[in-house]
Amino acid sequence: MSEEDEDQAPPKRPRATPPPDQVLDNVLETVLQFLAAPRDRSAASLVCRSWHRAESATRVSLAVRNILAASPARAARRFPNAHHILLKGRPRFADFNLLPPGWAGSAFRPWAAAFASAAFPALRSLSLKRITVTDDDLDLLARSLPPSFRELSFLLCDGFSSRGLASIASHCRGLRVLDVVDCEMNEEDDEVSDWVAAFPPGPTNLESLCFECFTPQVPFAALEALVARSPRLRRLGVNQHVSLGQLRRLMALTPHLTHLGTGAFRPGDGAEDEGLDLGQILTAFSSAGRANTLVSLSGFRDLAPEYLLTIATVAAANLTSLDLSYAPVTPDQFLPFIAQCRNLETLWVLDSVRDEGLDAMASFCKKLQFLRVLPLDAHEDADELVSEIGLAAISEGCRGLRSILYFCQRMTNAAVITMSQNCPELKVFRLCIMGRHQPDHMTGEPMDEGFGAIVRNCSKLTRLSTSGRLTDRAFEYIGKYGKSVRTLSVAFAGDGDLALQHLLQGCSKLEKLEIRDCPFGDAGLLSGMHHFYNMRFVWMSGCNLTLQGCKEVARRLPRMVVELVNSQPESERTDGVDILYMYRSLEGPREDVPPFVKIL
């Protein structure tokens, strides 16, 4: 070998080229990371096997909207890299005490076991809705969640107590969010755990802490100490035992607060409330630039109205969300506050504000998008506080409205038609006329034309709840024009099976159907056989279904789970079908079937 040959660098080896299908998978995974909408991702996963693999590998948010429909093992195989998981349990009609206790009492246990076995090693947040969760479940979770876990929230859940919360607080050291909202906790007075004191000593990473529904009193010293060592806290919702003086002290420790659940919002008897005056409360809401940073207010569980008026000028200007659903404020108390809420987008309020308050709200809150007007007294014979006048005022003033839930004692077609014309961007329209079978109180006609106008003029409507006197003609309108409706709730309406046939044959995108106390029978149910596999669930209670009709559905649709629930005492049971709950499932019928449930 010559010197020239020795001086030359050795030839470079050609770099290995990955196979074409691997290049495609890498590119596809990169692209799919920018696809956020669940429906779009689901559609992408159906293209071919490589797209299916790529979508599985990149899915970080998983929503199981019926906990009985998929097992945790299947979900873990399909989405091993899920960071955020949402689980939903009971159907919504369970909120009206239509399901017996214990209907799905152990449904969460397999999921708790899966989390404990590291089935989802990248889990960061877990949200549970309408699920029975035990303290043992929470203890298992707390001791086995991955270090990456940050957020835990409960909405409309039950079964657990402060002992379970204490386990979460003591073991989940990186926790940033702990929210317990509208839950029924199993709390014994002599066994209440001081879960707030269970958080580890030293600074915490808490950004959100909400326990407004927690019934027992929380030791204020422990709560104040926890808030003091949580410098990142932005959301705080306290329960009714926290007085106004105590709230003021907590606010002084949270300069970055954006969302506040106020607790009682009334002075108490403790040392923190001695000498408390309006000026001190005004300072609490105006100091540290809070008038500019506070965007959401809720709570007001035992409101002293004069304090609400005091903070109106400093706390209301930048609010985008206001929840007064626990505060029976009168129009005189409501008007001065709502007049300052020019940027409000979300409002929950009781009908105690009357039509006068709704009219004022519509005049000032031009940016409103989400509205709930809830009943102070939910009985059918309650006093009439709001009416078609308030609904018409809302439609005139809040033309950008996207969602409305409106409870009232009576209504007119004209007011509903006006809303459909003034608010064409509505996606959710839920009208609850509390008196059963109530017609248009001005003309005596059914409410058919009003609901017909809603589905005709609001082309983006995805959720609809009906009430009042409705004939089959109203359901013909819904089936003909409600092509975007995905969730439909019907109560005390219709003339017969033809109404249900209009819905099942016309609403091609229908996913969730809730029906109670309607004259619909087997013929109406069987008319939807072509569509049931595309739906998440069908609920029918108090209808005219027979066992034979339900068996026919189960025979012809073997991948649908058909549950018959008998909520009546055993001595009063008949051969009729009390409740039909039918849902699609990847796993088949469940095993934890209580004695009052029969699966066909």
Side-chain angles (χ1 to χ4, degrees), residues 411-443:
M411 186 49 60
T412 65
N413 280 305
V416 179
I417 292 171
T418 298
M419 169 147 283
S420 75
Q421 295 168 342
N422 292 338
C423 304
E425 299 297 313
L426 272 176
K427 292 185 177 181
V428 177
F429 183 77
R430 300 163 66 190
L431 176 62
C432 181
I433 306 171
M434 286 182 285
R436 304 182 189 186
H437 311 292
Q438 291 293 319
D440 180 322
H441 77 93
M442 297 291 289
T443 66

Coordinates of all heavy atoms in Angstrom, one line a residue, residues 411-443:
M411 N -95.1 28.7 28.6 CA -94.4 29.2 27.4 C -95.3 29.4 26.3 O -96.5 28.9 26.3 CB -93.3 28.2 27.1 CG -92.3 28.6 26.0 SD -91.6 30.3 26.2 CE -90.8 30.1 27.8
T412 N -94.9 30.1 25.3 CA -95.7 30.3 24.0 C -94.8 29.9 22.8 O -93.6 30.0 22.9 CB -96.1 31.8 23.9 OG1 -94.9 32.6 23.7 CG2 -96.9 32.2 25.1
N413 N -95.5 29.5 21.8 CA -94.8 29.2 20.5 C -94.1 30.5 20.0 O -93.0 30.4 19.4 CB -95.8 28.7 19.5 CG -96.1 27.2 19.7 OD1 -95.3 26.4 19.7 ND2 -97.4 26.9 19.9
A414 N -94.8 31.6 20.1 CA -94.2 32.8 19.6 C -92.8 33.2 20.2 O -91.9 33.6 19.5 CB -95.2 34.0 19.8
A415 N -92.7 33.0 21.5 CA -91.4 33.2 22.1 C -90.3 32.3 21.6 O -89.2 32.7 21.4 CB -91.5 33.2 23.6
V416 N -90.6 31.0 21.5 CA -89.7 30.0 21.0 C -89.3 30.3 19.6 O -88.1 30.2 19.2 CB -90.2 28.6 21.2 CG1 -89.2 27.6 20.7 CG2 -90.5 28.3 22.7
I417 N -90.3 30.7 18.7 CA -90.0 31.0 17.3 C -89.1 32.2 17.3 O -88.2 32.3 16.5 CB -91.3 31.3 16.6 CG1 -92.1 29.9 16.5 CG2 -91.1 31.8 15.2 CD1 -93.5 30.1 15.9
T418 N -89.4 33.2 18.1 CA -88.5 34.4 18.1 C -87.1 34.1 18.5 O -86.1 34.6 17.9 CB -89.0 35.4 19.2 OG1 -90.4 35.8 18.8 CG2 -88.1 36.7 19.2
M419 N -86.9 33.2 19.4 CA -85.5 32.7 19.8 C -84.9 32.0 18.6 O -83.7 32.3 18.3 CB -85.6 31.8 21.0 CG -84.2 31.1 21.3 SD -83.9 30.8 23.0 CE -83.4 32.5 23.5
S420 N -85.6 31.2 17.9 CA -85.0 30.5 16.7 C -84.5 31.5 15.7 O -83.6 31.2 14.9 CB -86.0 29.5 16.2 OG -87.0 30.1 15.4
Q421 N -85.3 32.6 15.5 CA -84.9 33.6 14.5 C -83.8 34.5 14.9 O -82.9 34.9 14.1 CB -86.2 34.4 14.2 CG -87.3 33.6 13.5 CD -88.6 34.4 13.5 OE1 -88.8 35.4 14.2 NE2 -89.5 33.9 12.7
N422 N -83.7 34.8 16.2 CA -82.7 35.8 16.7 C -81.4 35.1 17.1 O -80.3 35.7 17.1 CB -83.2 36.5 17.9 CG -84.3 37.5 17.6 OD1 -84.5 37.9 16.5 ND2 -85.1 37.8 18.6
C423 N -81.4 33.8 17.4 CA -80.2 33.1 17.8 C -80.0 31.8 16.9 O -80.1 30.7 17.4 CB -80.4 32.6 19.3 SG -80.7 34.0 20.4
P424 N -79.7 32.0 15.6 CA -79.5 30.9 14.7 C -78.3 30.1 15.0 O -78.2 29.0 14.5 CB -79.4 31.6 13.3 CG -78.9 33.0 13.6 CD -79.5 33.3 15.0
E425 N -77.4 30.6 15.8 CA -76.1 29.9 16.1 C -76.3 28.9 17.3 O -75.3 28.2 17.7 CB -75.0 30.8 16.5 CG -74.7 31.8 15.4 CD -74.1 31.1 14.1 OE1 -73.3 30.2 14.3 OE2 -74.6 31.4 13.0
L426 N -77.5 28.7 17.8 CA -77.8 27.8 18.9 C -77.3 26.4 18.6 O -77.7 25.8 17.5 CB -79.2 27.8 19.3 CG -79.8 28.8 20.3 CD1 -81.3 28.7 20.4 CD2 -79.1 28.7 21.6
K427 N -76.6 25.8 19.5 CA -76.2 24.4 19.4 C -76.9 23.5 20.4 O -77.1 22.3 20.2 CB -74.7 24.2 19.6 CG -73.9 24.8 18.5 CD -72.4 24.5 18.6 CE -71.6 25.0 17.5 NZ -70.1 24.7 17.6
V428 N -77.3 24.2 21.5 CA -78.0 23.4 22.6 C -79.3 24.2 23.0 O -79.2 25.4 23.3 CB -77.2 23.3 23.8 CG1 -77.9 22.6 25.0 CG2 -75.9 22.5 23.5
F429 N -80.5 23.6 22.9 CA -81.7 24.2 23.3 C -82.5 23.3 24.2 O -82.9 22.2 23.7 CB -82.6 24.6 22.1 CG -83.8 25.3 22.5 CD1 -83.8 26.7 22.8 CD2 -85.1 24.7 22.5 CE1 -85.0 27.4 23.2 CE2 -86.2 25.3 22.8 CZ -86.2 26.7 23.2
R430 N -82.5 23.6 25.5 CA -83.2 22.7 26.4 C -84.3 23.6 27.2 O -83.9 24.4 28.0 CB -82.2 22.2 27.4 CG -81.1 21.4 26.8 CD -79.9 21.2 27.7 NE -80.2 20.4 28.9 CZ -79.4 20.2 29.9 NH1 -78.2 20.8 29.9 NH2 -79.7 19.5 30.9
L431 N -85.5 23.4 26.8 CA -86.6 24.1 27.4 C -87.4 23.1 28.3 O -87.9 22.1 27.8 CB -87.5 24.6 26.3 CG -88.8 25.3 26.8 CD1 -88.5 26.5 27.7 CD2 -89.7 25.7 25.6
C432 N -87.5 23.4 29.6 CA -88.2 22.6 30.5 C -89.4 23.3 31.1 O -89.3 24.2 32.0 CB -87.3 22.2 31.7 SG -88.1 21.1 32.9
I433 N -90.6 23.0 30.5 CA -91.8 23.6 31.1 C -92.3 22.6 32.1 O -92.6 21.4 31.8 CB -92.9 23.7 29.9 CG1 -92.4 24.5 28.8 CG2 -94.2 24.3 30.5 CD1 -93.3 24.5 27.6
M434 N -92.2 23.0 33.4 CA -92.3 22.0 34.5 C -93.7 21.4 34.6 O -93.8 20.3 35.1 CB -91.9 22.7 35.8 CG -90.4 22.9 35.8 SD -89.8 23.6 37.4 CE -90.3 25.3 37.1
G435 N -94.8 22.1 34.2 CA -96.1 21.5 34.2 C -96.2 20.5 33.0 O -95.8 20.8 31.9
R436 N -96.6 19.3 33.3 CA -96.7 18.3 32.2 C -97.8 18.6 31.2 O -98.9 19.1 31.6 CB -97.0 16.9 32.9 CG -96.0 16.5 33.9 CD -96.3 15.1 34.5 NE -95.5 14.8 35.6 CZ -95.4 13.6 36.2 NH1 -96.2 12.7 35.8 NH2 -94.6 13.4 37.3
H437 N -97.5 18.3 30.0 CA -98.4 18.5 28.9 C -99.0 19.9 28.7 O -100.1 20.1 28.3 CB -99.6 17.5 29.0 CG -99.2 16.1 29.3 ND1 -98.5 15.3 28.3 CD2 -99.3 15.3 30.4 CE1 -98.3 14.1 28.9 NE2 -98.7 14.1 30.1
Q438 N -98.2 20.9 29.1 CA -98.6 22.3 29.0 C -98.6 22.8 27.6 O -97.6 22.8 26.9 CB -97.7 23.2 29.9 CG -97.9 22.9 31.4 CD -99.3 23.3 31.9 OE1 -99.8 24.3 31.5 NE2 -99.8 22.5 32.8
P439 N -99.7 23.3 27.1 CA -99.8 23.9 25.7 C -99.3 25.3 25.8 O -98.9 25.9 26.8 CB -101.2 23.8 25.4 CG -101.9 24.0 26.7 CD -101.1 23.3 27.7
D440 N -99.3 26.0 24.6 CA -99.1 27.4 24.5 C -100.1 28.1 25.4 O -101.3 27.9 25.1 CB -99.2 27.8 23.1 CG -99.0 29.3 22.8 OD1 -99.4 30.1 23.7 OD2 -98.3 29.7 21.8
H441 N -99.7 28.8 26.4 CA -100.7 29.3 27.4 C -101.5 30.4 26.8 O -102.6 30.8 27.4 CB -100.1 29.7 28.7 CG -99.4 31.0 28.7 ND1 -100.0 32.1 29.1 CD2 -98.1 31.3 28.4 CE1 -99.1 33.1 29.0 NE2 -98.0 32.6 28.5
M442 N -101.1 31.0 25.7 CA -101.8 32.1 25.1 C -102.9 31.6 24.1 O -104.0 32.1 24.0 CB -100.9 33.1 24.4 CG -99.9 33.8 25.3 SD -100.7 35.0 26.4 CE -101.1 36.3 25.2
T443 N -102.5 30.6 23.3 CA -103.4 30.1 22.3 C -104.1 28.8 22.6 O -105.1 28.4 21.9 CB -102.6 30.0 20.9 OG1 -101.7 28.9 21.1 CG2 -101.9 31.3 20.6

